[in-house]
Amino acid sequence: MEERIRTLVEEATQAILSANSTAELEAVETRYLGRKGQVTELLRALPTLPPEERPRFGQLLNTTKTQLQTQIDQRRAELQRREREERLRAERVDITLPPRPLRVGLKHPLTQTMERVRAALIGLGFEFVDSPELDDYRYNFAALNYPDDHPAMDEQMSFYISNTRLLRTQTTSVQGRIMEKRKPPFRIAVIGRCFRNETVDATHHHTFHQVDAFMVDRGVSMADLKGTLAAFARQMFGEDVQVRFRPDFFPFVEPGVDYAIYWQGGWLELGGAGLIHPNILRAHGIDPEQWSGFAFGLGIERIPMIQYQIDDLRLFLENDLRFLQKYGA
Ligand code: FA5
């Protein structure tokens, strides 16, 4: 028995020392001290020894067990340290590598333009609100004094999703939403996407952007409208810019005008404007004898097209990186 124990200890010590990882060491531990390990089996066999030998071997086996356990724990601590060091070495980041070039995102030219438009109109006292892109027929057309048979309401021109709902064709659709909730005076502006069922070409898209601004107060006249749009043009295009107003028709204004600026040898139309039609004020319980207002709506794409001489507005939605890097900022 003693001989057996000695060989066992020798073997185990050898195995512990040659275990090269914590996993291997664990296997050794199980082999000798586990529930079915060799030392455990010997302890279990004690009752088969003659009674007078039991205490001595019992003690010897217990000492052996403690001794092996201590050796294993020491070896484990050593192996764990080594494994930790190896992992740290493997995961080390080589800070001497040259960095990959940073790709900084740029603001889309339309985003830049919308930010400038917004700043200019806020500076002129307008409050920006949100208005849905998917809107009711009522706000997009009916509340804006369109006669029932106006061609703009034709399905050819609008994306209807039901009999009464469509993608807004103009940001002017915000007017009714505001007038039914608020009492004048107010100055409101909205900016965002509009949609028309149009054949796409270099100057028309099915998806484009507009800004609309309108105000209602006492004694608002064409002079206020012209002064506001002239100030707006100066902020957007510089102090020397010339503006032009020509009579035009929109069902929701009277009188109505188109609004253009002079740019590099020609007049470029930016949008429409006019004094808010008395029918609209009346329909929202605003007395046109006491209150009057102006409204204007401009195409956003037109502005960077003029500034950067971009001749095809389809480029704005194509996401061609060469275009975005050239005009992004
Ligand atoms: C309107 O949409 C009116 N709501 C403007 C208005 C508002 C007039 C308030 C009076 C008072 P118009 O359909 O002309 O008007 O469009 C205005 C501008 O939006 C155009 O001058 C153009 O710059 C832009 N626009 C219109 N349709 C498209 C399109 N398919 N693609 C790109 N831009 C467009």
Side-chain angles (χ1 to χ4, degrees):
M1 185 76 172
E2 250 177 303
E3 185 55 35
R4 229 176 119 190
I5 296 177
R6 197 172 322 113
T7 340
L8 191 77
V9 169
E10 266 166 31
E11 270 173 32
T13 309
Q14 195 52 46
I16 291 168
L17 289 176
S18 51
N20 256 325
S21 67
T22 46
E24 266 177 52
L25 185 66
E26 198 140 328
V28 172
E29 186 174 15
T30 313
R31 193 154 74 236
Y32 292 97
L33 303 180
R35 224 160 27 88
K36 293 191 174 154
Q38 295 185 29
V39 177
T40 322
E41 296 277 287
L42 284 179
L43 273 165
R44 214 171 276 145
L46 272 182
T48 63
L49 294 179
E52 65 280 9
E53 294 197 350
R54 285 181 208 162
R56 199 161 65 82
F57 282 110
Q59 211 172 8
L60 186 58
L61 278 172
N62 275 324
T63 324
T64 305
K65 194 177 161 186
T66 321
Q67 187 189 330
L68 289 181
Q69 189 65 59
T70 312
Q71 282 183 33
I72 287 173
D73 289 347
Q74 272 170 7
R75 180 72 181 150
R76 180 180 294 117
E78 221 173 280
L79 289 171
Q80 277 174 344
R81 189 172 347 105
R82 212 170 71 192
E83 284 171 9
R84 203 165 36 237
E85 278 164 10
E86 270 164 19
R87 203 174 52 236
L88 282 178
R89 208 171 308 126
E91 288 175 0
R92 206 178 66 187
V93 178
D94 182 355
I95 56 165
T96 62
L97 271 181
R100 293 193 191 91
L102 267 186
R103 278 187 152 246
V104 179
L106 300 170
K107 276 187 188 159
H108 191 282
L110 286 180
T111 307
Q112 295 170 50
T113 305
M114 288 193 276
E115 285 178 355
R116 292 182 55 225
V117 166
R118 204 180 260 274
L121 291 178
I122 288 172
L124 289 166
F126 289 90
E127 171 196 346
F128 272 84
V129 297
D130 280 330
S131 192
E133 290 178 353
L134 179 58
D135 212 342
D136 292 353
Y137 166 83
R138 188 155 59 101
Y139 294 116
N140 198 81
F141 292 126
L144 290 172
N145 198 38
Y146 279 84
D148 278 343
D149 55 354
H150 195 280
M153 299 184 298
D154 198 317
E155 282 204 71
Q156 298 290 311
M157 300 290 290
S158 313
F159 294 110
Y160 280 91
I161 65 138
S162 75
N163 278 342
T164 56
R165 310 220 343 122
L166 71 154
L167 294 174
R168 71 176 172 202
T169 62
Q170 50 189 354
T171 39
T172 319
S173 58
V174 74
Q175 270 188 34
R177 290 183 171 274
I178 294 294
M179 287 195 204
E180 70 185 14
K181 281 203 302 266
R182 299 208 199 176
K183 295 269 162 264
F186 44 67
R187 296 182 197 193
I188 303 293
V190 71
I191 196 163
R193 278 192 294 185
C194 298
F195 310 86
R196 291 185 195 179
N197 195 352
E198 294 204 69
T199 310
V200 173
D201 62 25
T203 53
H204 297 86
H205 215 294
H206 50 70
T207 303
F208 57 100
H209 297 74
Q210 283 192 339
V211 59
D212 255 71
F214 65 102
M215 72 174 288
V216 177
D217 206 332
R218 295 189 194 275
V220 175
S221 70
M222 281 303 276
D224 298 306
L225 172 63
K226 289 165 101 173
T228 302
L229 281 174
F232 175 75
R234 283 197 297 274
Q235 290 216 26
M236 296 300 296
F237 301 101
E239 283 300 315
D240 302 332
V241 72
Q242 286 178 277
V243 296
R244 183 190 69 186
F245 300 94
R246 287 192 312 188
D248 200 352
F249 174 78
F250 300 92
F252 34 92
V253 286
E254 180 58 39
V257 293
D258 79 38
Y259 165 59
I261 62 161
Y262 194 75
W263 193 262
Q264 297 184 341
W267 289 101
L268 293 166
E269 195 190 306
L270 287 184
L275 292 186
I276 297 175
H277 201 290
N279 284 353
I280 296 181
L281 296 177
R282 222 174 279 122
H284 292 95
I286 301 170
D287 179 1
E289 297 298 324
Q290 293 198 39
W291 302 96
S292 57
F294 68 66
F296 59 86
L298 317 175
I300 295 290
E301 279 77 357
R302 259 301 164 95
I303 298 170
M305 286 176 85
I306 292 170
Q307 270 172 335
Y308 304 130
Q309 293 172 31
I310 298 166
D311 55 9
D312 191 334
L313 72 66
R314 287 171 288 200
L315 289 165
F316 289 115
L317 293 188
E318 275 172 6
N319 278 340
D320 183 328
L321 279 179
R322 290 164 303 181
F323 175 80
L324 296 176
Q325 302 232 288
K326 181 161 180 195
Y327 298 109

